[in-house]
Amino acid sequence: MKSSASRSDVVTPISRAWNHVGQLLFRPFDLSRWLAIGFTAWLATLGQSWGGGGGTNLKSSSTGGNPATEIRGALDQGREWISENLMWLIPVVVIGGLVLVAVWLVMLWLSSRGQFMFLHNVITGRDEVADPWSRYSAHGNSLFAFRLVLALIGVVTAMPVLAVGGWAGFTLIQESGSAPAALVVAVLSGLTIFVIGIGFLVVGKLTADFVVPIMWKQTSSCRAAWGVFLRLAGSDPGAILLYLLFQILLWIGAIFLIVAVVLLTCCIAGCLLAIPYIGTVLLLPVLVFFRSYSLHFLAGFGPEWNLLVRQVEAPGGTTGTPG
């Protein structure tokens, strides 16, 4: 059995995660296995990435005048159009908004359940769908509730800043950019939104990478798992910071690799990657690598967190020890 990496070791988990990818997906290669595990990975990442929708061509009536004047004219035309179509526009916006919220909630719930299904297959080496779907229902519901509350907190936190920034931007347009105070407010609002976004992004990252595995091992409560993670992180906060920074480098490398494959295939791979589920199946080695990497890093906090020490069931009924 391989010893766990130290808490601050972000390099050793790379080779171990890569070995796990090979053992889970390529020894031997089984398309049906890929499709099953890929389905759970697709559920786990549902709503996190979207296919390209193409750009929108906007007609312009520019005559070479002042851009601020043209924007003010467009805003005036927009207000006039809205006032003329208010009777039917309000119900359409309300119904459309409710539909979008309902779709988002369904996707959030499915992805919360899917994270445990994908994690289950990565840890156990199986390609199950039905069993982990039912087994981790309580875990998924708790994660869904946590993510929903987190999203609501994010909206409540960001809305006042967006309102102030919108007011500042509107003032700049009205004053043709000659409003220093409004410019400062707009810049500060943008920076604040950026910081808030980074904060919530980090919380979501830590939840997926560490809290979900803790829930898988110990508890179905996301709140309790966060308590456990905070105790672990408190013992070595520098290791967590190093992990987050190193994740940026790993993802940059993964993106460069994906772009290279797309270019080498004359964008054929890019078209396939844009197809829901099919794209996830093609990216499965990358997704399994990052899921395994976080587990190997977590193992550095003690042997009780070495979740991948379990026997991996290979196709055909044989077993092997994961890397």
Side-chain angles (χ1 to χ4, degrees):
M1 181 188 304
K2 296 180 181 178
S3 60
S4 299
S6 64
R7 296 177 183 178
S8 58
D9 186 358
V10 293
V11 177
T12 301
I14 294 178
S15 60
R16 296 181 178 178
W18 183 254
N19 290 336
H20 194 75
V21 171
Q23 185 169 358
L24 185 64
L25 300 178
F26 295 101
R27 298 185 214 144
F29 175 82
D30 186 342
L31 180 59
S32 63
R33 184 178 180 82
W34 274 59
L35 294 177
I37 299 177
F39 178 74
T40 61
W42 175 68
L43 285 181
T45 58
L46 197 61
Q48 296 182 14
S49 60
W50 301 88
T56 302
N57 293 324
L58 300 177
K59 294 182 179 180
S60 173
S61 57
S62 174
T63 58
N66 191 320
T69 302
E70 296 177 2
I71 294 176
R72 285 200 301 270
L75 290 175
D76 292 338
Q77 292 178 5
R79 285 196 295 265
E80 182 179 353
W81 182 86
I82 291 174
S83 62
E84 293 175 352
N85 299 275
L86 203 59
M87 292 300 295
W88 65 267
L89 193 60
I90 291 179
V92 168
V93 171
V94 171
I95 294 174
L98 292 175
V99 170
L100 289 176
V101 170
V103 171
W104 175 75
L105 288 174
V106 171
M107 295 176 66
L108 187 68
W109 178 73
L110 288 174
S111 66
S112 297
R113 186 81 67 92
Q115 287 198 30
F116 291 96
M117 299 167 66
F118 182 49
L119 176 66
H120 170 83
N121 287 332
V122 170
I123 291 178
T124 64
R126 299 171 185 166
D127 52 3
E128 300 173 334
V129 175
D131 178 64
W133 168 265
S134 58
R135 180 184 302 184
Y136 302 106
S137 59
H139 300 70
N141 291 338
S142 180
L143 180 61
F144 166 73
F146 175 83
R147 297 171 72 191
L148 178 60
V149 171
L150 186 66
L152 293 176
I153 293 175
V155 170
V156 171
T157 304
M159 284 302 294
V161 183
L162 289 174
V164 173
W167 168 83
F170 182 77
T171 302
L172 284 173
I173 294 174
Q174 291 294 102
E175 300 295 331
S176 300
S178 58
L183 178 61
V184 171
V185 171
V187 172
L188 291 178
S189 298
L191 292 175
T192 303
I193 288 295
F194 177 77
V195 172
I196 291 174
I198 291 296
F200 280 93
L201 184 64
V202 168
V203 172
K205 176 68 173 174
L206 295 177
T207 301
D209 286 8
F210 301 119
V211 175
V212 168
I214 293 173
M215 292 176 68
W216 185 91
K217 176 179 172 59
Q218 282 195 346
T219 175
S220 62
S221 169
C222 188
R223 181 178 178 181
W226 255 104
V228 175
F229 170 72
L230 289 176
R231 288 194 294 272
L232 293 176
S235 65
D236 194 351
I240 300 300
L241 177 60
L242 182 61
Y243 171 86
L244 293 173
L245 295 175
F246 197 69
Q247 280 279 303
I248 297 175
L249 295 178
L250 289 177
W251 273 111
I252 290 175
I255 291 173
F256 271 111
L257 179 61
I258 294 171
V259 171
V261 172
V262 170
L263 294 178
L264 289 174
T265 58
C266 299
C267 296
I268 295 176
C271 296
L272 294 175
L273 290 174
I275 302 175
Y277 174 58
I278 299 299
T280 304
V281 172
L282 294 177
L283 287 176
L284 193 56
V286 176
L287 299 175
V288 171
F289 171 83
F290 278 98
R291 178 71 278 182
S292 302
Y293 179 86
S294 64
L295 295 174
H296 282 296
F297 182 85
L298 179 62
F301 285 86
E304 68 274 20
W305 299 111
N306 193 1
L307 305 184
L308 287 172
V309 75
R310 294 167 171 265
Q311 292 291 306
V312 175
E313 182 180 344
T318 59
T319 59
T321 303

